[in-house]
Amino acid sequence: MSENREQFRPPGHENDHFLLTTVVGSYPKPSWLNRARDLHDDPDSEFDDDDWREAQDDASRLITNEHERAGLDVVVDGEMRRNEMVEFFAHRIDGYEFNGPVKVWGHNYFDKPSVTDEVEYGESWLVSEYEFTASVADRPVKVPITGPYTLASWSFNEAYEDEEALAYDLADLVNEEIEKLVAAGARYIQIDEPALATTPDDHAIVGECLERIVSGIPDDVRIGLHVCYGDYSRIYPELLDFPVHELDLELANGDYDQLDVFKNPEFTKDLALGVVDAHVAEVESVEQIERNIQKGLEVVPPEQLTVSPDCGVKLLPREVAYGKMENLVTAARNVEAKLDSGELTPDLN
Amino acid sequence: MTVVSTTLGLFPLPDDARERLADLKGHQKEDLVSGDEAPDIEAVYDEARDDLLTRQADADLDRAVEGQARWDDMLAHPLAVHENVRTEGIVRYYDNNNFYRDPVVTGDLTHSGDLARDLERASALTDSLQAVVPGPYSLSRLATDDHYGSSQAFLAALGDFLAGEVESFPDAVETVFVLEPSLATESLDDGEDERAAAAIDTVAAATDAEVVVQSYWGTYGEKLHAHLLDTDVSALGYDLVTAHDDATYLVQEYGTLDSVSLGVVDGQNTLVESPDTIEERIEWFRDQIPVSEFDTVYATPNTELFYLPVNKFQAKLRALGALGGDRE
């Protein structure tokens, strides 16, 4: 168990046991925010930069409060200011340029950037987002950051000898950003590395990136790593060597068919378990989520378990996203109560 | 030796077509191409095809492809629009951050004519038409069989299916590129390599056009390469971007056919190669092998170009188009 976990237990928490509840990061944007963006992008509109900033602030405040209303212990603002997980950061890093959208699937495209020069830290990435969110939140705030390996893998590399060299330089920039976030008060950072699960042979590169990222970061700052999709058996137990406190995994989507991967050898990190599916537009029942949480207790004891959705939920209808969070929190508190009463005993095997 | 500059098919959609198709079709799985599109959608495809052929003409490519604006599912397209195939969830396209619908074959793969219709329309717009089809082995690996019952029967059926499609291509088609990335990304078992080559041979026998088998993201295993050399195709393709040493070794050790196709432009990177660099890559390959006299060298990108934004795609076309012609 990581010693920095208890700082997120709310004062007056009603159960002795504590399952930390949070989200991975993204959340559906209010439809009016998308309308506002269209207006801002329209050169004929009078919707100026100040109007756009105000709209983003309002959306950020709204979703942060929505997370609190659902009862989550640690909240984010749903990434209201971010368009896409690579593009957002590439716009803020010197050395990147954009040439236009590229296909992901069907008519879904993203503005995949090109690294055309050595990457350097330009403007701050997330400090103002964090400071705003923290100022409107009554709960601790988590900061998700796209990891350097994914930033490198999901860009075109025109400038570096190989992707590995690019990833290491980007890791140094992520480290610089986290130092600024920590100075601003952030205590919970999540590195998102979805690219790792698609290229498992590169886990050593991700490990070296993480060593650079955490260099000089105080121990009381909780560092998580989110890895989604893919065949986890190809990156476990190597994941345990990473210098992070928590591993956040997508398992509900596969109905926990990969759960046994994490039982042997012993899972020595904190486990952030996906207990609702981010790709299914129905709200799981509280009872179903309780059963999912108990899957996590087959891997780690309660003091090592964090409960979250499988992944960012931005593609879901907003009322479904909220319903999932609300039920997730209720289920977690129910499981805590059952653990307190002895009705439920962790069954590590 | 003649250098023929050409490409491997699926292109990025021009911006205007991309936006209009997104508006007309939507962004969800159920909105992808089905083969029976409404006339307003077909009209956008026709305009996109015209645009993509114009871009190739402007770039002075020796052979022009149809551009495959309708191929929402990349190489899986011919199955995704087939009446005896249902499409299921979105699955990863090789080791890329791209996805397609999983095609599940539920009945006989009869001739559909889907590819031929697009080529017929393209043939009216160019005098140097090249068709591009998925190879039977790659298609067998991209799809799920719920009908034929064994991998052997499924592979053979895909060979027959593609042969039927190719047979109905218009006479204007001068070359048929058969794309087989799975031949390089997978290790084929004993027997499987021979069956893959046989299925390709079935496709090649269905046309009088020159047939080129192109693999990428690596190269062929030695046994597989030997079986491919025994087929009736005109040329084998080698990826000199990701596997130049392995590909050269194969040709040094075992030879190749009288013509060759070389992937000399990186289809997945926005760094645009100069014509000089491309020329050097071709010459390097010729210098490495004992016999360097080919009838034809097809100069291509190492993969399809749909991975690129439109401006870089166009620049890569121009770089390739600067090549063609006869050499010493």
Side-chain angles (χ1 to χ4, degrees):
Chain A
M1 170 186 158
S2 300
E3 291 177 359
N4 61 28
R5 182 178 182 273
E6 272 300 295
Q7 64 184 306
F8 303 107
R9 182 194 286 256
H13 186 64
E14 60 187 11
N15 300 311
D16 292 336
H17 279 88
F18 173 54
L19 302 175
L20 176 58
T21 59
T22 186
V23 290
V24 171
S26 74
Y27 195 76
K29 291 186 170 68
S31 51
W32 56 259
L33 186 65
N34 294 327
R35 295 276 300 279
R37 185 196 57 217
D38 291 343
L39 280 173
H40 183 241
D41 290 346
D42 181 354
D44 298 328
S45 164
E46 293 179 0
F47 198 87
D48 62 19
D49 289 349
D50 286 342
D51 296 331
W52 176 229
R53 261 191 299 277
E54 184 181 346
Q56 289 181 304
D57 285 352
D58 286 346
S60 177
R61 183 186 294 107
L62 177 73
I63 301 304
T64 301
N65 292 345
E66 194 157 313
H67 285 177
E68 291 180 335
R69 188 153 45 86
L72 293 165
D73 300 311
V74 173
V75 300
V76 301
D77 78 344
E79 302 179 5
M80 290 298 112
R81 300 167 203 277
R82 310 188 197 179
N83 43 1
E84 196 276 334
M85 66 182 300
V86 173
E87 187 181 333
F88 173 84
F89 293 94
H91 272 296
R92 288 158 178 78
I93 299 172
D94 293 342
Y96 273 97
E97 73 171 38
F98 288 84
N99 287 290
V102 299
K103 182 186 181 81
V104 179
W105 65 275
H107 296 120
N108 298 285
Y109 283 68
F110 89 109
D111 220 353
K112 183 174 176 176
S114 302
V115 176
T116 58
D117 202 353
E118 202 165 300
V119 292
E120 290 182 26
Y121 192 90
E123 61 178 299
S124 164
W125 310 349
L126 298 170
V127 171
S128 62
E129 175 195 285
Y130 168 74
E131 288 178 336
F132 182 86
T133 309
S135 75
V136 299
D138 293 328
R139 304 275 175 112
V141 171
K142 179 166 79 172
V143 184
I145 300 181
T146 304
Y149 181 75
T150 298
L151 287 174
S153 293
W154 292 357
S155 304
F156 298 110
N157 170 25
E158 296 190 20
Y160 281 77
E161 183 180 345
D162 55 33
E163 200 173 288
E164 179 178 356
L166 171 59
Y168 293 157
D169 268 11
L170 286 165
D172 292 340
L173 305 192
V174 173
N175 172 258
E176 195 171 342
E177 178 67 14
I178 293 178
E179 285 179 348
K180 291 185 190 329
L181 286 162
V182 169
R187 288 293 174 274
Y188 197 163
I189 308 287
Q190 175 186 284
I191 312 296
D192 293 333
E193 287 286 19
L196 171 60
T198 65
T199 46
D201 294 341
D202 283 352
H203 57 75
I205 297 174
V206 175
E208 171 60 25
C209 285
L210 288 164
E211 294 288 352
R212 290 167 182 246
I213 287 170
V214 302
S215 175
I217 305 299
D219 289 341
D220 66 336
V221 176
R222 185 173 180 79
I223 305 288
L225 177 69
H226 172 67
V227 183
C228 50
Y229 310 123
D231 179 357
Y232 288 123
S233 68
R234 295 179 65 190
I235 51 177
Y236 189 86
E238 289 82 357
L239 283 175
L240 298 177
D241 295 331
F242 290 165
V244 300
H245 305 105
E246 177 180 83
L247 294 168
D248 185 287
L249 306 171
E250 173 180 319
L251 289 168
N253 182 244
D255 201 20
Y256 300 94
D257 59 353
Q258 296 194 61
L259 190 73
D260 287 349
V261 167
F262 302 103
K263 293 180 179 176
N264 186 25
E266 179 187 359
F267 198 94
T268 51
K269 303 288 186 188
D270 290 353
L271 169 63
L273 182 74
V275 296
V276 295
D277 193 336
H279 302 293
V280 173
E282 286 101 36
V283 177
E284 293 89 341
S285 68
V286 170
E287 293 74 21
Q288 178 62 54
I289 300 172
E290 286 183 38
R291 287 194 289 275
N292 293 349
I293 294 172
Q294 288 179 51
K295 294 285 187 186
L297 295 174
E298 294 178 26
V299 177
V300 293
E303 60 271 22
Q304 281 175 245
L305 188 61
T306 298
V307 177
S308 75
D310 258 354
C311 197
V313 294
K314 73 176 181 182
L315 296 178
L316 294 171
R318 187 167 151 202
E319 67 275 15
V320 172
Y322 181 76
K324 284 179 188 260
M325 290 193 306
E326 192 175 41
N327 283 4
L328 177 154
V329 171
T330 303
R333 304 288 92 106
N334 287 351
V335 171
E336 288 171 350
K338 289 175 184 176
L339 287 165
D340 282 1
S341 69
E343 183 184 341
L344 189 64
T345 307
D347 181 24
L348 294 177
N349 51 36
Chain B
M1 181 185 87
T2 303
V3 174
V4 173
S5 57
T6 188
T7 68
L8 302 187
L10 185 52
F11 287 163
L13 281 169
D15 290 339
D16 179 55
R18 174 173 54 79
E19 289 166 11
R20 287 165 64 201
L21 286 167
D23 289 344
L24 287 167
K25 289 170 63 189
H27 292 269
Q28 302 303 315
K29 181 164 66 82
E30 54 272 20
D31 301 322
L32 299 186
V33 67
S34 62
D36 55 357
E37 273 54 51
D40 52 349
I41 294 174
E42 282 294 324
V44 181
Y45 287 139
D46 289 343
E47 288 172 35
R49 183 180 302 111
D50 196 338
D51 178 313
L52 294 171
L53 281 158
T54 301
R55 288 171 190 267
Q56 292 172 87
D58 290 346
D60 207 20
L61 286 173
D62 294 318
R63 298 274 161 84
V65 299
E66 184 266 325
Q68 298 169 337
R70 295 176 59 244
W71 289 37
D72 286 341
D73 301 284
M74 287 81 83
L75 289 180
H77 168 86
L79 292 183
V81 297
H82 195 281
E83 62 181 3
N84 288 337
V85 175
R86 73 168 184 272
T87 55
E88 293 195 338
I90 299 292
V91 290
R92 187 172 290 279
Y93 184 63
Y94 292 100
D95 192 13
N96 298 292
N97 191 26
N98 297 100
F99 302 85
Y100 69 100
R101 292 172 295 179
D102 181 18
V104 180
V105 177
T106 57
D108 283 347
L109 289 171
T110 48
H111 171 252
S112 84
D114 180 88
L115 309 185
R117 278 190 291 279
D118 289 339
L119 291 165
E120 285 285 359
R121 292 170 184 173
S123 68
L125 304 167
T126 178
D127 295 328
S128 56
L129 185 59
Q130 172 173 300
V132 181
V133 300
Y137 184 74
S138 296
L139 206 48
S140 76
R141 306 305 292 164
L142 290 170
T144 302
D145 172 39
D146 200 19
H147 176 67
Y148 288 99
S150 74
S151 58
Q152 293 96 321
F154 189 41
L155 176 58
L158 286 165
D160 290 339
F161 164 64
L162 290 165
E165 300 303 304
V166 168
E167 197 170 10
S168 66
F169 285 177
D171 292 341
V173 170
E174 296 181 43
T175 41
V176 178
F177 264 64
V178 179
L179 303 190
E180 282 281 24
S182 291
L183 292 183
T185 58
E186 298 189 17
S187 297
L188 279 67
D189 297 335
D190 265 354
E192 199 175 21
D193 45 14
E194 191 173 359
R195 287 190 292 275
I200 289 169
D201 224 4
T202 302
V203 179
T207 177
D208 292 332
E210 302 279 295
V211 173
V212 182
V213 175
Q214 185 99 5
S215 191
Y216 38 92
W217 298 320
T219 195
Y220 319 97
E222 294 182 18
K223 269 189 155 180
L224 169 65
H225 188 248
H227 285 299
L228 291 171
L229 292 180
D230 282 342
T231 63
D232 281 333
V233 303
S234 304
L236 292 186
Y238 302 93
D239 180 348
L240 298 192
V241 174
T242 69
H244 58 280
D245 285 335
D246 290 344
T248 310
Y249 165 80
L250 267 184
V251 179
Q252 285 169 338
E253 290 292 312
Y254 304 104
T256 189
L257 300 171
D258 291 341
S259 295
V260 68
S261 177
L262 301 178
V264 285
V265 163
D266 192 338
Q268 295 182 279
N269 198 333
T270 47
L271 181 65
V272 179
E273 297 86 348
S274 69
D276 285 348
T277 298
I278 301 171
E279 195 77 54
E280 283 167 14
R281 288 176 181 174
I282 294 171
E283 289 310 312
W284 176 86
F285 180 78
R286 292 177 71 192
D287 289 346
Q288 301 299 307
I289 56 179
V291 179
S292 60
E293 290 315 307
F294 297 108
D295 292 341
T296 301
V297 171
Y298 296 94
T300 72
N302 70 321
T303 66
E304 310 102 303
L305 292 172
F306 77 89
Y307 301 96
L308 299 173
V310 170
N311 63 344
K312 297 293 182 174
F313 149 72
Q314 183 74 39
K316 298 251 178 185
L317 291 188
R318 282 196 291 267
L320 278 164
L323 281 180
D326 294 333
R327 312 291 160 89
E328 286 298 312

